[in-house]
């Protein structure tokens, strides 16, 4: 870090400038949503671990998605909950930068995992006879490790570019966590390189993967329409529609956040969108998969039946 940065020890997270009563109400609501996020994704992980019928590539990647959602929410929400109750809403420089890194790393990783899951469904529906050969456990492991590694590496690039810049004040972040765009507003130097890298990364990690997902599902839709069995068509459409819901929620909010033109109130817009994919999206993912997926509901019944029969 440069000499100008050494004296920067902490930032103030402004969060939600509301009355104390409303902040306490928000604390209760957000706390319940966070508990549901941990519980829902934890149940998904537990079912995949305990039920052998879910030991397939699709649920292997779904387990990684659940881990990302738990980590993503846990990186941002606990500090937000603490600040809703505390008058002193400070965060030290190092934890702030680490929060930015993990936030970007988990977001990038989730994008890549969603693409891999769409490819998995494409192979399963369009090339069912070759599915076990193509989606081998070796390939699944390589794809999962690559997603985590690439997501973390890209996040590290963002953090390194931030650390080269001086922070001269004011040290108030108009957000509920150290979101990268809000942190850059505190820099008293030229941030055009950071902005270019953020936009390029958005194209690489959002637009590119989204095009691949849409391409995969256009092929999947054509294949589903050719299935003669109504039951097979229904099952394939149910699985894919749940995945498309997750993709639409995540990519839609992220593209609006980082690629859409800024409104007259960009800070408030950023807070709402960040809250959506930091808390609501991780909570909705297990609900979408569990409510619309008969295999998950069947696994839950089998696990509960085994527990009762003991």
């Amino acid at each position: 870090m440069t000499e100008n940065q050494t004296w920067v020890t902490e930032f103030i997270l402004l969060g939600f400038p509301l009355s104390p009563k409303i902040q306490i109400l928000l604390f209760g609501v957000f706390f319940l949503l966070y508990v549901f996020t941990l519980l829902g994704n934890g149940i998904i992980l537990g079912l995949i671990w305990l039920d052998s019928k879910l030991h397939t590539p699709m649920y292997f990647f779904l387990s990684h998605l659940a881990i990302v959602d738990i980590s993503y929410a846990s990186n941002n929400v606990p500090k937000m909950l603490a600040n809703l109750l505390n008058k002193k809403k400070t965060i030290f420089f190092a934890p702030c930068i680490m929060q930015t890194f993990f936030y970007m790393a988990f977001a990038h990783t989730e994008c890549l995992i969603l693409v891999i899951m769409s490819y998995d469904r494409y192979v399963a529906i369009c090339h069912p006879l070759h599915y076990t050969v193509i989606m081998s456990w070796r390939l699944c492991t390589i794809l999962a490790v690559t997603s985590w590694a690439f997501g973390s590496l890209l996040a590290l690039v963002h953090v390194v570019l931030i650390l080269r810049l001086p922070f001269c004040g004011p040290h108030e972040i108009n957000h509920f966590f150290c979101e990268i765009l809000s942190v850059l507003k505190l820099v008293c130097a030229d941030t055009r390189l950071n902005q270019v890298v953020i936009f390029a990364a958005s194209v690489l990690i959002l637009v590119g993967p989204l095009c691949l997902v849409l391409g995969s599902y256009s092929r999947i839709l054509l294949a589903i329409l050719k299935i003669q069995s109504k039951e097979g068509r229904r099952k394939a459409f149910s699985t894919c529609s749940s995945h498309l819901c997750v993709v639409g929620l995540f990519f839609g909010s992220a593209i609006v956040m980082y690629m859409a033109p800024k409104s007259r109130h960009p800070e408030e817009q950023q807070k709402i969108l960040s809250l959506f994919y930091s808390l609501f999206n991780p909570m909705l993912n297990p609900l979408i998969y569990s409510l619309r997926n008969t295999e998950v509901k069947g696994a839950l019944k089998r696990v509960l039946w085994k527990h009762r029969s003991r």
Side-chain angles (χ1 to χ4, degrees):
M1 293 186 294
T2 63
E3 185 178 352
N4 288 335
Q5 288 174 296
T6 54
W7 59 272
V8 178
T9 59
E10 63 182 23
F11 297 114
I12 298 174
L13 295 170
L14 297 181
F16 304 98
L18 302 169
S19 65
K21 290 184 179 180
I22 297 179
Q23 290 196 13
I24 293 175
L25 177 63
L26 287 179
F27 173 85
V29 173
F30 292 160
F31 178 77
L32 287 177
L33 293 178
Y34 180 55
V35 171
F36 288 147
T37 298
L38 299 181
L39 186 61
N41 286 284
I43 290 174
I44 292 291
L45 285 172
L47 290 176
I48 294 173
W49 176 267
L50 295 173
D51 195 287
S52 59
K53 291 187 177 182
L54 299 184
H55 293 174
T56 63
M58 173 183 170
Y59 293 102
F60 172 74
F61 294 122
L62 181 57
S63 66
H64 281 270
L65 182 63
I67 293 172
V68 171
D69 284 337
I70 290 174
S71 304
Y72 197 69
S74 298
N75 181 56
N76 304 334
V77 178
K79 183 62 178 177
M80 177 189 68
L81 293 176
N83 287 343
L84 285 173
L85 297 181
N86 296 332
K87 291 184 179 180
K88 188 178 181 182
K89 307 177 187 297
T90 58
I91 182 171
F92 289 108
F93 181 82
C96 180
I97 296 301
M98 290 300 295
Q99 192 178 60
T100 303
F101 168 76
F102 285 119
Y103 150 74
M104 299 299 294
F106 295 138
H108 296 153
T109 303
E110 181 158 355
C111 290
L112 297 175
I113 289 177
L114 289 173
V115 174
I116 295 171
M117 291 176 69
S118 69
Y119 176 71
D120 172 76
R121 290 301 86 203
Y122 163 74
V123 176
I125 294 174
C126 298
H127 304 283
L129 299 179
H130 302 92
Y131 178 74
T132 55
V133 177
I134 297 175
M135 297 303 296
S136 63
W137 283 112
R138 182 175 180 273
L139 177 63
C140 291
T141 304
I142 292 174
L143 290 174
V145 172
T146 302
S147 298
W148 285 95
F150 186 78
S152 301
L153 181 62
L154 191 54
L156 184 62
V157 171
H158 289 298
V159 169
V160 170
L161 291 177
I162 290 175
L163 291 176
R164 57 182 268 277
L165 298 171
F167 291 87
C168 306
H171 304 309
E172 294 180 345
I173 299 177
N174 191 11
H175 217 291
F176 61 87
F177 74 103
C178 293
E179 195 272 331
I180 186 170
L181 296 179
S182 299
V183 172
L184 285 176
K185 292 178 180 178
L186 307 185
V187 172
C188 54
D190 188 5
T191 61
R192 280 180 293 182
L193 177 60
N194 298 74
Q195 299 290 347
V196 169
V197 172
I198 290 173
F199 184 81
S202 298
V203 173
L204 177 65
I205 210 74
L206 290 175
V207 179
L210 182 59
C211 291
L212 292 175
V213 170
L214 295 178
S216 297
Y217 276 98
S218 62
R219 298 285 300 274
I220 289 172
L221 180 60
L222 293 175
I224 290 176
L225 294 176
K226 294 179 181 178
I227 298 176
Q228 296 181 352
S229 169
K230 290 184 178 180
E231 179 63 24
R233 199 160 46 226
R234 185 199 62 78
K235 183 178 179 181
F237 184 78
S238 176
T239 302
C240 294
S241 61
S242 63
H243 186 200
L244 278 175
C245 288
V246 174
V247 169
L249 289 171
F250 183 83
F251 280 91
S253 57
I255 288 175
V256 171
M257 176 76 175
Y258 292 101
M259 303 194 69
K262 304 304 179 183
S263 66
R264 294 182 180 179
H265 305 286
E267 292 86 1
E268 302 307 317
Q269 181 190 58
Q270 289 177 16
K271 290 180 190 179
I272 295 173
L273 289 173
S274 297
L275 187 64
F276 184 82
Y277 60 78
S278 294
L279 187 58
F280 293 106
N281 211 36
M283 182 195 68
L284 290 175
N285 285 354
L287 293 177
I288 291 172
Y289 279 108
S290 61
L291 291 177
R292 298 181 60 87
N293 196 309
T294 55
E295 291 181 347
V296 172
K297 290 186 285 187
L300 180 59
K301 291 179 181 178
R302 287 190 295 270
V303 170
L304 292 176
W305 180 258
K306 288 181 180 179
H307 181 73
R308 289 179 181 178
S309 61
R310 290 181 179 177

